[in-house]
Amino acid sequence: MKTGAATAKEPQSRADELEERLIDFAVRIVRLSAHLPRTPAGRHVAGQIVRSGTSPAPNYGEARGAESTADFIHKLRIVLKELNETSIWLRVIERSQLLKAELFTDIVQENSELCKIFTSSLKTARTQTNGQMINGK
């Protein structure tokens, strides 16, 4: 067993749960991309969505190990930016009818929820940073 890994008896932290959720999201994006048509457009969209949709998980891992609050906020912004880009690619897939809607409706919902979580997290981090700066003076 890995040191520090949660076991069935140990509850995961919210940060661990969120990281696992982002990894699951990345896996779903990879699987979705495999179903896109092997046309020039399908290959282009597949490459783009794989890049943007798999990026949030490792970037969140980097944020968790940030060296400062500013670094943490910067890395969270990257996570949100990549999730927003993934949302655009999902809409492109939908509007161009590259896949049947039932194949990706759930992932669209998960993307939306993750965007809301990270938007809220960024607001909290910024508020705490601003409060520290005011109280620290």
Side-chain angles (χ1 to χ4, degrees):
M1 180 167 65
K2 294 191 302 186
T3 304
T7 66
K9 295 178 184 178
E10 298 174 19
Q12 286 187 319
S13 72
R14 288 181 52 90
D16 289 340
E17 289 173 6
L18 188 53
E19 188 170 284
E20 285 301 315
R21 194 168 166 182
L22 287 167
I23 291 168
D24 290 343
F25 180 77
V27 169
R28 291 172 71 189
I29 289 290
V30 168
R31 290 181 179 155
L32 178 140
S33 73
H35 287 92
L36 288 166
R38 303 283 185 233
T39 62
R43 283 191 296 274
H44 174 74
V45 171
Q48 293 294 326
I49 201 165
V50 165
R51 279 187 280 284
S52 66
T54 59
S55 173
N59 278 300
Y60 181 66
E62 287 291 317
R64 292 182 69 186
E67 296 177 9
S68 67
T69 304
D71 189 33
F72 176 75
I73 290 170
H74 172 73
K75 288 175 178 164
L76 278 190
R77 287 179 65 211
I78 293 170
V79 171
L80 183 57
K81 178 180 91 63
E82 295 295 334
L83 287 168
N84 286 332
E85 181 179 340
T86 302
S87 175
I88 302 264
W89 286 115
L90 289 167
R91 288 171 27 211
V92 168
I93 292 168
E94 178 182 31
R95 290 184 190 177
S96 61
Q97 300 177 341
L98 290 172
L99 290 175
K100 294 180 183 177
E102 59 266 15
L103 292 177
F104 64 94
T105 302
D106 290 343
I107 202 165
V108 169
Q109 180 62 37
E110 177 68 353
N111 188 76
S112 176
E113 290 175 16
L114 289 168
C115 284
K116 289 176 185 173
I117 289 167
F118 282 97
T119 297
S120 177
S121 295
L122 273 167
K123 286 180 184 174
T124 300
R126 287 179 182 140
T127 299
Q128 289 176 349
T129 300
N130 290 338
Q132 289 173 358
M133 291 174 78
I134 293 168
N135 295 331
K137 283 188 174 181

